[in-house]
C-alpha cells in the first residue's frame, strides 16, 4: 500500500495487516519529507513493514533519507547496477528493485523485484497477461484497484501486489473504503 501521508491511512493499513506501507520520496503528488514521514513510520507496527519509495535520488541520498525517516527497507525505481544494491544493503537496508514491465535485467541481487508500468504512480496498468514476467516471487504494480487486482494476481501468479492510485478518492488522497476493498479483493480466494 503505497503513497501514504496521513495517520489514519497508516493506522488502517496496519490494522488490516498489509505486508508493507510505502512513503514516497520521489517527485510525486504523494511526496513527503523524511521529517514528515518519521512519525508515520513509528506508527507502523506488527507484521507490517514501512518502505521508502525512491526515484531520481542517488544512492547516498536514499541512505540518508531512509535513516532520517527510520526506514529499514527501500523500493528504488532507478537502480542501475548490482553495486547500487550492495551499497544499500551495506547500509543495512532491505531492497526492492522496481523495474518497468519488459525489463529483463533481473533483480541485481535485491530482496524482491517489483514490476511496474512505464510511469510509476500514474495508475496505468501494463499488459500483465502478455508481457514477460520475472521468475520466482515478484511484486505486481501499476494501475491496480479493487476491481482488477484479483484477476491480475490470477493472470500473472504474482507473489505480491502494490497499489497507490487505485485506493485514492482523488490524486494523492487515500480513501479508507477503497483501501479496505482492495485488501479484501486481494484476500479473496487465498
Ligand atoms: O506513487 C507514486 O507517486 C510514485 C512515485 C514515484 C515512484 C513510485 C511511485 N509509486 C509506486 O508506483 C507503483 C504503481 O502505482 P499506481 O498504483 O499505478 O499508482 C507502485 O509500486 C507504487 O509504489
Amino acid at each position: 500500500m503505497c503513497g501514504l501521508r496521513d495517520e489514519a491511512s497508516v493506522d488502517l493499513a496496519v490494522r488490516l495487516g498489509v505486508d508493507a506501507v510505502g512513503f514516497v520520496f520521489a517527485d510525486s503528488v504523494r511526496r513527503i519529507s523524511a521529517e514528515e514521514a518519521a512519525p508515520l513510520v513509528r506508527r507502523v507496527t506488527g507484521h507490517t513493514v514501512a518502505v521508502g519509495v525512491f526515484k531520481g535520488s542517488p544512492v547516498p541520498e536514499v541512505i540518508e533519507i531512509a535513516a532520517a525517516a527510520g526506514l529499514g527497507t527501500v523500493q528504488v525505481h532507478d537502480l542501475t547496477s548490482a553495486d547500487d544494491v550492495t551499497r544499500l544493503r551495506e547500509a543495512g537496508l532491505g531492497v526492492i528493485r522496481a523495474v518497468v514491465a519488459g525489463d529483463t535485467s533481473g533483480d541485481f541481487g535485491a530482496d524482491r523485484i517489483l514490476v511496474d508500468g512505464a510511469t510509476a504512480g500514474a495508475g496505468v496498468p501494463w499488459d500483465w497477461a502478455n508481457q514477460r514476467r520475472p521468475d520466482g516471487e515478484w511484486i505486481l504494480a501499476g494501475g491496480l484497484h479493487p476491481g482488477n487486482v484479483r484477476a491480475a494476481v490470477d493472470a500473472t501468479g504474482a507473489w505480491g501486489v502494490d497499489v497507490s492510485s487505485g485506493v485514492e478518492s482523488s490524486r494523492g488522497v487515500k480513501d479508507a473504503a477503497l483501501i479496505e476493498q482492495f485488501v479484501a479483493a486481494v484476500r479473496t480466494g487465498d
Side-chain angles (χ1 to χ4, degrees):
M1 191 73 57
C2 185
L4 304 187
R5 295 188 300 154
D6 65 278
E7 291 181 359
S9 298
V10 172
D11 292 351
L12 175 59
V14 170
R15 183 168 62 73
L16 292 171
V18 307
D19 294 318
V21 290
F23 301 98
V24 175
F25 300 99
D27 184 16
S28 166
V29 67
R30 308 177 182 100
R31 181 177 204 151
I32 58 173
S33 67
E35 292 68 31
E36 290 167 328
L40 297 177
V41 171
R42 286 195 290 273
R43 301 179 83 84
V44 180
T45 54
H47 148 100
T48 307
V49 172
V51 177
V53 178
F54 294 87
K55 184 175 184 182
S57 292
V59 167
E61 189 175 295
V62 172
I63 293 169
E64 186 185 322
I65 292 173
L71 292 159
T73 303
V74 293
Q75 171 182 318
V76 188
H77 284 248
D78 46 7
L79 290 169
T80 56
S81 68
D83 185 52
D84 283 350
V85 174
T86 301
R87 289 157 69 203
L88 293 167
R89 281 182 173 288
E90 285 175 354
L93 293 165
V95 183
I96 300 166
R97 180 181 184 220
V99 300
V100 173
D103 182 330
T104 54
S105 58
D107 61 16
F108 286 172
D111 299 287
R112 296 268 178 234
I113 191 158
L114 177 149
V115 184
D116 197 358
T119 308
V124 179
W126 49 279
D127 187 3
W128 307 307
N130 297 310
Q131 274 275 12
R132 192 164 180 274
R133 303 183 292 269
D135 297 325
E137 295 182 343
W138 62 283
I139 301 166
L140 170 64
L144 296 174
H145 56 71
N148 68 3
V149 65
R150 189 66 240 173
V153 171
D154 291 343
T156 61
W159 170 86
V161 291
D162 188 18
V163 62
S164 196
S165 308
V167 290
E168 292 177 346
S169 54
S170 61
R171 231 171 135 57
V173 180
K174 290 294 182 275
D175 182 282
L178 290 174
I179 289 174
E180 296 207 35
Q181 288 166 26
F182 188 88
V183 172
V186 171
R187 291 178 176 158
T188 304
D190 275 357

